[in-house]
Amino acid sequence: FAFSYLMGLEEWKEFDPLKIREMQQTLLIYDCNGREMANLYHQQNRVYVPIKDIPLHVRNAFIAVEDTRFYEHNGVDFIRTIGAILQSIRDGEAISATSSISQQLVRNTNLTNVRTMARKLQEAVMAIKLEQVYTKDEILEMYLNYIPFGHGAYGIEAAARVYFGTTTSKLTIAQAALLAGVIKAPAHYAPHIKMEKSIKRRNLVLSLMA
């Protein structure tokens, strides 16, 4: 924290992890028989689903490709981060995408996607603070319900409905892997935009899961 102060990173002081749960959700409308008839949303189509209703293979798909040591670190995977910093210094380029799931969550909810040394440090401090408030499963639940998948879908449930016409609980391993591959860059990997790239990245996720 002292180092973050010296770097001019003050935003972590105002970071409130409890506000992350205040995410926009789609309004679902049912008939008298309990059948879903319509849904209403402004900009973010999101249907929140609790972690207990997200199959293990779906969770594992995202952990495999985004943060393989998710359950082992305290919010920051220092092995990956240090490697990324050294690589950026050596190449003279922006830091590559090596954020943990916790870091991605705080970045998507509280920061911008600017990749600088200062922003990376700020992201790390906030991720550690996040993990002092929530359990790993709670963080993973919020992450899977928050992230954008393209095509107007935010969160795993909306993505399952938009891309496969199904629910999170019924996603196959292949479908879960494809969705996990999309979030890196929906404009490049969403199946309705670039199917070939989407399939190729899905296969990468499957190999990482294996």
Side-chain angles (χ1 to χ4, degrees), residues 106-166:
V106 297
R107 182 177 68 234
N108 279 291
T109 56
N110 290 271
L111 300 171
T112 67
N113 287 321
V114 176
R115 293 177 183 173
T116 63
M117 185 77 74
R119 181 46 54 89
K120 199 71 175 178
L121 289 168
Q122 186 173 32
E123 180 184 285
V125 171
M126 293 168 76
I128 293 173
K129 186 175 180 179
L130 177 75
E131 297 223 359
Q132 293 173 345
V133 176
Y134 294 108
T135 66
K136 288 290 189 177
D137 282 349
E138 288 174 329
I139 291 171
L140 184 60
E141 177 181 304
M142 290 186 290
Y143 173 79
L144 291 175
N145 278 287
Y146 196 92
I147 49 179
F149 287 84
H151 216 339
Y154 288 77
I156 187 68
E157 180 69 11
R161 295 179 178 213
V162 167
Y163 288 115
F164 298 113
T166 188

Side-chain angles (χ1 to χ4, degrees), residues 19-205:
K19 291 184 178 180
I20 292 181
R21 288 194 179 277
E22 301 174 3
M23 57 184 75
Q24 295 180 30
Q25 295 187 48
T26 298
L27 174 64
L28 302 179
I29 301 173
Y30 298 87
D31 66 12
C32 61
N33 296 313
R35 293 177 299 184
E36 185 180 323
M37 301 300 294
N39 58 74
L40 301 173
Y41 60 91
H42 178 44
Q43 293 179 321
Q44 299 184 5
N45 178 15
R46 176 184 292 108
V47 180
Y48 202 96
V49 57
I51 193 74
K52 66 181 179 61
D53 294 331
I54 302 176
L56 187 58
H57 66 267
V58 176
R59 305 179 215 172
N60 286 340
F62 288 85
I63 290 173
V65 70
E66 293 296 328
D67 189 357
T68 187
R69 284 184 285 271
F70 173 66
Y71 282 102
E72 301 170 17
H73 60 63
N74 67 343
V76 180
D77 187 339
F78 287 104
I79 296 176
R80 291 181 67 198
T81 300
I82 293 173
I85 292 174
L86 293 176
Q87 183 71 35
S88 68
I89 294 175
R90 182 166 57 249
D91 298 342
E93 299 177 352
I95 300 175
S96 59
T98 57
S99 298
S100 69
I101 283 175
S102 297
Q103 287 174 272
Q104 290 181 50
L105 181 59
V106 297
R107 182 177 68 234
N108 279 291
T109 56
N110 290 271
L111 300 171
T112 67
N113 287 321
V114 176
R115 293 177 183 173
T116 63
M117 185 77 74
R119 181 46 54 89
K120 199 71 175 178
L121 289 168
Q122 186 173 32
E123 180 184 285
V125 171
M126 293 168 76
I128 293 173
K129 186 175 180 179
L130 177 75
E131 297 223 359
Q132 293 173 345
V133 176
Y134 294 108
T135 66
K136 288 290 189 177
D137 282 349
E138 288 174 329
I139 291 171
L140 184 60
E141 177 181 304
M142 290 186 290
Y143 173 79
L144 291 175
N145 278 287
Y146 196 92
I147 49 179
F149 287 84
H151 216 339
Y154 288 77
I156 187 68
E157 180 69 11
R161 295 179 178 213
V162 167
Y163 288 115
F164 298 113
T166 188
T167 61
T168 301
S169 63
K170 296 180 180 178
L171 285 171
T172 66
I173 294 176
Q175 290 171 337
L178 186 143
L179 293 179
V182 166
I183 63 172
K184 179 180 180 181
H188 293 285
Y189 297 110
H192 71 290
I193 297 177
K194 297 181 179 179
M195 177 63 77
E196 186 176 343
K197 287 188 176 181
S198 182
I199 295 298
K200 184 176 181 180
R201 183 152 177 80
R202 179 206 65 183
N203 293 341
L204 170 63
V205 176

